């Protein structure tokens, strides 16, 4: 009986020491970042699914510029082929590849939308119009999900780099996590630009 009390006392002392050194905080914040990342991936996947439907709709437009459409198809394929799981978020190279692929897809999609302005029939297509609205909403959701992930990683990394919790991190393998980077840090709260507001250009017939 006495030995059991000693063991229980040792376990309680260990738990108290782990709590004081930030171990439990690492557990909580690590799960928070994983959850936030899952939402980022979920929104990117939603965009990819919408783009797939968008491409099929655009294909129905006669004489649409195939180069622009093919760029979107290629960018979507590349973006969806790169999977960054919570376990690989500490890999800076893999994370940057994921960011770059998603950025290329955003750029290709933006170019597609600019090109669409030259096709009045396609712009008037209700299915296309609905997809365009859905994509606008998804870009906003991506921005919100990314910002939540940025804040979650920021809080985790402060814990991982601060003393004495950085010692706990080293002992248990909790390293700082990779985060999203943008050229203009002031713009991280804005949705990626997918320009739906460009004025109509000359029609294909007028440009001949």
């Amino acid at each position: 009986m006495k030995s059991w009390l000693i063991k229980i006392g040792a376990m309680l002392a260990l738990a108290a020491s782990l709590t004081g050194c930030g171990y439990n905080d690492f557990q909580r914040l690590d799960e928070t970042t994983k959850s936030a990342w899952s939402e980022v991936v979920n929104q990117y996947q939603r965009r990819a699914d919408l783009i797939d439907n968008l491409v099929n709709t655009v294909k129905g437009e006669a004489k649409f510029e195939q180069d622009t459409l093919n760029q979107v198809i290629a960018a979507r394929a590349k973006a969806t082929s790169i999977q960054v799981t919570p376990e690989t978020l500490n890999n800076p190279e893999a994370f940057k590849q994921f960011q770059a692929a998603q950025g290329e897809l955003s750029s290709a999609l933006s170019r597609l939308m600019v090109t669409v302005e030259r096709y009045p029939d396609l712009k008037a297509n209700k299915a296309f119009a609905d997809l365009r609205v859905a994509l606008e909403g998804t870009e906003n959701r991506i921005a919100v999900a990314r910002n939540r992930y940025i804040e979650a990683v920021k809080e985790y990394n402060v814990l991982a780099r601060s003393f004495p919790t950085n010692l706990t991190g080293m002992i248990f393998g909790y390293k700082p996590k990779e985060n999203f980077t943008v050229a203009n840090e002031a713009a991280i709260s804005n949705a990626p630009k997918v320009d739906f507001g460009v004025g109509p250009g000359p029609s294909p017939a007028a440009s001949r």
Side-chain angles (χ1 to χ4, degrees):
M1 182 68 177
K2 186 176 181 180
S3 62
W4 277 105
L5 291 175
I6 293 174
K7 289 180 180 180
I8 292 173
M11 291 173 64
L12 291 174
L14 177 60
S17 64
L18 290 175
T19 300
C21 67
Y23 179 81
N24 288 344
D25 289 330
F26 272 114
Q27 300 299 310
R28 174 177 58 81
L29 295 179
D30 188 48
E31 288 303 317
T32 299
T33 57
K34 288 178 180 178
S35 176
W37 177 249
S38 294
E39 183 58 20
V40 171
V41 172
N42 178 52
Q43 294 305 328
Y44 274 132
Q45 184 59 54
R46 184 175 188 272
R47 180 174 72 168
D49 293 340
L50 286 170
I51 290 173
D52 198 30
N53 294 331
L54 184 75
V55 166
N56 289 331
T57 302
V58 172
K59 280 181 179 178
E61 174 67 23
K63 299 180 181 180
F64 188 83
E65 298 177 24
Q66 287 301 309
D67 286 346
T68 302
L69 189 60
N70 289 337
Q71 287 174 9
V72 173
I73 294 171
R76 180 192 180 282
K78 182 177 180 180
T80 55
S81 70
I82 301 175
Q83 300 298 322
V84 181
T85 66
E87 286 69 33
T88 60
L89 287 176
N90 293 328
N91 184 333
E93 188 61 32
F95 196 85
K96 287 176 183 177
Q97 288 178 359
F98 180 85
Q99 284 193 84
Q102 295 295 340
E104 289 175 15
L105 180 54
S106 292
S107 296
L109 181 59
S110 181
R111 289 192 295 272
L112 175 67
M113 291 304 177
V114 171
T115 303
V116 164
E117 296 296 327
R118 305 170 190 166
Y119 296 84
D121 290 344
L122 183 56
K123 286 173 60 180
N125 184 306
K126 186 178 185 304
F128 180 84
D130 290 344
L131 286 168
R132 190 163 70 172
V133 171
L135 276 169
E136 287 180 322
T138 299
E139 293 293 351
N140 288 329
R141 292 182 185 183
I142 288 172
V144 170
R146 279 168 53 106
N147 286 339
R148 286 176 178 168
Y149 178 76
I150 288 169
E151 290 303 316
V153 171
K154 178 181 176 182
E155 189 176 358
Y156 173 93
N157 285 346
V158 167
L159 185 70
R161 293 187 173 115
S162 299
F163 182 84
T165 51
N166 64 329
L167 301 179
T168 303
M170 286 189 287
I171 292 171
F172 291 98
Y174 288 106
K175 300 177 182 179
K177 295 180 183 291
E178 192 71 14
N179 212 339
F180 283 108
T181 57
V182 291
N184 179 5
E185 291 294 336
I188 62 172
S189 61
N190 297 327
K193 294 296 182 184
V194 179
D195 193 348
F196 299 135
V198 177
S203 67
S207 62
R208 293 194 186 100

